[in-house]
């Protein structure tokens, strides 16, 4: 899915533009769905669980001579937990480093406390912010007028109405963003969709299936790692993955009665991976209890997160 070829000077003719656009917002406002829409392929997992996105995901979009690198950041929320603080810190870093910040709002919730907190912090940092009101297909058009008026009162006039799920308004938003990108060489080949490696993509697909099939039974204490990757002469690939849980009593949940649940996870993930990689995939899953995986520096590094200080002791 990725191309590691570094751009050469010949790739940088005059007239090209390129920039980073950070997509920020509260959990479950639709950032990952929008990133997939922008990339034209699934590069970020989508789940009914909030805080599903754990790492930075890029969607690379070309508009004529302009390359837009959209950054899907973890949802911003208040938490004292170490792992979740690392995710939120990653989101703020993405906003600080970007050429443009687009704050996504859920049309059904409007300027709720979470959205106001994000917009206030961006304003305090001196960032100029554009707003994308997502999920407009779920509300009546008349309900959007008071919301846009409230945004305008706060000086936010660069507003797009979109449905990331159905694509409504997304092309207009992309065209508007393209006109704001600075002049400069492209950072990626024009046919590249994301910077995620195939190994990480495979792990994220399996994690998505775990969330979809077990979101009512299993907490967030799960991670997936692609441990082995073996290419065969016939074009197929053998992928070995570990599903980490934090407690021993969570292993039977993932395994299921007679191993039925883990087989369902494997079948669903393998089917999607074969479609994504356009090759035969032999997927093997193992479940491992790792009580302190959230404190493992290697896990943070693999996800592109910085290891924050430990959680403060209670009492």
């Amino acid at each position: 899915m990725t191309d590691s070829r570094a751009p050469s000077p010949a790739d940088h003719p005059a007239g090209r533009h390129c920039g980073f656009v950070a997509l920020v917002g509260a959990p479950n406002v639709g950032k990952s769905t929008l990133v997939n829409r922008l990339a034209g392929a699934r590069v970020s997992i989508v789940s009914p669980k909030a805080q599903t996105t754990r790492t930075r995901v890029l969607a690379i979009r070309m508009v004529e001579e302009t390359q837009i690198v959209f950054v899907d950041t973890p949802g911003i929320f208040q938490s004292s937990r170490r792992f979740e603080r690392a995710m939120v810190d990653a989101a703020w870093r993405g906003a600080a480093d970007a050429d443009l910040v687009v704050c996504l709002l859920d049309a059904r919730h409007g300027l709720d406390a979470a959205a106001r907190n994000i917009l206030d912090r961006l304003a305090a940092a001196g960032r100029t912010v554009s707003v994308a009101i997502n999920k407009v297909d779920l509300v009546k058009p008349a309900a959007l007028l008071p919301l846009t008026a409230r945004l305008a009162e706060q000086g936010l006039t660069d507003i797009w109405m979109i449905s990331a799920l159905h694509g409504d308004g997304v092309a207009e938003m992309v065209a508007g963003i393209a006109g704001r990108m600075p002049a400069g060489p492209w950072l990626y080949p024009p046919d590249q969709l994301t910077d995620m490696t195939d190994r990480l993509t495979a792990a994220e697909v399996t994690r998505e299936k775990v969330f979809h099939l077990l979101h009512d039974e299993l907490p967030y204490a799960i991670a997936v790692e692609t441990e082995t990757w073996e290419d065969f002469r016939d074009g197929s690939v053998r992928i070995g993955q570990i599903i980490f849980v934090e407690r021993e009593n969570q292993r039977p949940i993932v395994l299921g009665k007679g191993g039925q649940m883990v087989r369902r996870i494997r079948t669903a993930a393998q089917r999607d991976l074969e479609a994504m990689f356009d090759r035969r995939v032999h997927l093997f899953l193992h479940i491992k209890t790792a009580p302190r995986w959230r404190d493992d520096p290697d896990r943070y590094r693999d996800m592109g997160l910085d290891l924050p200080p430990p959680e403060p002791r209670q009492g």
Side-chain angles (χ1 to χ4, degrees):
M1 295 180 64
T2 61
D3 186 339
S4 59
R5 182 181 66 90
S8 68
D11 295 326
H12 307 333
R16 289 187 173 179
H17 292 74
C18 182
F20 284 87
V21 177
L23 301 175
V24 302
N28 266 356
V29 295
K31 296 185 300 298
S32 295
T33 300
L34 178 58
V35 162
N36 291 339
R37 170 72 60 180
L38 292 167
R42 186 173 58 181
V43 297
S44 188
I45 72 172
V46 178
S47 164
K49 273 185 176 288
Q51 296 108 47
T52 297
T53 300
R54 291 177 174 173
T55 184
R56 184 206 68 168
V57 179
L58 300 187
I60 303 163
R61 180 73 174 254
M62 299 298 304
V63 180
E64 296 180 351
E65 293 299 300
T66 297
Q67 185 175 81
I68 311 172
V69 184
F70 290 95
V71 185
D72 178 17
T73 61
I76 296 174
F77 59 103
Q78 298 293 331
S79 178
S80 61
R81 294 183 176 181
R82 192 180 197 186
F83 184 61
E84 293 174 346
R85 282 189 287 122
M87 291 161 53
V88 174
D89 287 347
W92 287 121
R93 286 199 310 275
D97 296 340
D99 296 290
L100 178 67
V101 178
V102 176
C103 182
L104 263 70
L105 304 183
D106 187 322
R108 299 168 299 176
H109 303 150
L111 273 174
D112 58 10
R116 288 197 301 271
N117 174 64
I118 294 169
L119 289 170
D120 288 346
R121 182 162 173 177
L122 289 169
R127 292 308 312 254
T128 300
V129 182
S130 299
V131 175
I133 303 175
N134 191 27
K135 306 183 184 182
V136 296
D137 53 305
L138 300 180
V139 300
K140 294 181 179 180
L144 297 172
L145 296 177
L147 175 57
T148 55
R150 291 179 64 190
L151 291 170
E153 290 172 359
Q154 298 190 19
L156 298 164
T157 56
D158 198 6
I159 302 169
W160 291 287
M161 307 282 188
I162 67 169
S163 169
L165 182 62
H166 300 291
D168 300 334
V170 173
E172 291 79 5
M173 182 188 75
V174 171
I177 290 173
R180 294 164 171 77
M181 293 295 95
W186 298 343
L187 300 177
Y188 300 93
D191 57 348
Q192 186 169 329
L193 302 180
T194 182
D195 70 339
M196 287 184 65
T197 66
D198 289 348
R199 293 173 71 102
L200 181 56
T201 297
E204 287 290 272
V205 167
T206 300
R207 188 165 68 93
E208 179 186 69
K209 299 312 175 188
V210 174
F211 273 22
H212 274 292
L213 292 170
L214 290 170
H215 69 274
D216 290 329
E217 294 87 359
L218 198 69
Y220 291 100
I222 187 170
V224 179
E225 177 184 299
T226 299
E227 185 181 36
T228 61
W229 183 290
E230 184 178 1
D231 294 303
F232 296 115
R233 290 183 178 180
D234 64 0
S236 65
V237 59
R238 183 193 189 280
I239 302 173
Q241 295 180 335
I242 300 175
I243 299 175
F244 290 100
V245 295
E246 285 189 320
R247 298 193 303 271
E248 187 63 27
N249 62 3
Q250 293 168 347
R251 291 185 77 256
I253 298 175
V254 181
L255 187 62
K257 185 177 180 180
Q260 292 182 0
M261 179 53 67
V262 74
R263 284 197 295 270
R264 289 181 62 192
I265 294 169
R266 185 193 66 82
T267 299
Q270 182 173 275
R271 180 179 59 245
D272 281 13
L273 290 172
E274 288 182 337
M276 293 174 72
F277 296 143
D278 193 25
R279 62 193 300 194
R280 182 75 181 275
V281 173
H282 309 281
L283 180 62
F284 294 84
L285 303 178
H286 301 279
I287 308 166
K288 182 178 180 180
T289 302
R292 300 189 63 82
W293 73 258
R294 295 186 196 225
D295 297 321
D296 183 353
D298 290 339
R299 189 78 52 218
Y300 285 76
R301 185 190 65 245
D302 292 345
M303 289 189 256
L305 301 175
D306 290 336
L307 182 67
E311 298 170 22
R313 293 183 178 273
Q314 299 298 321

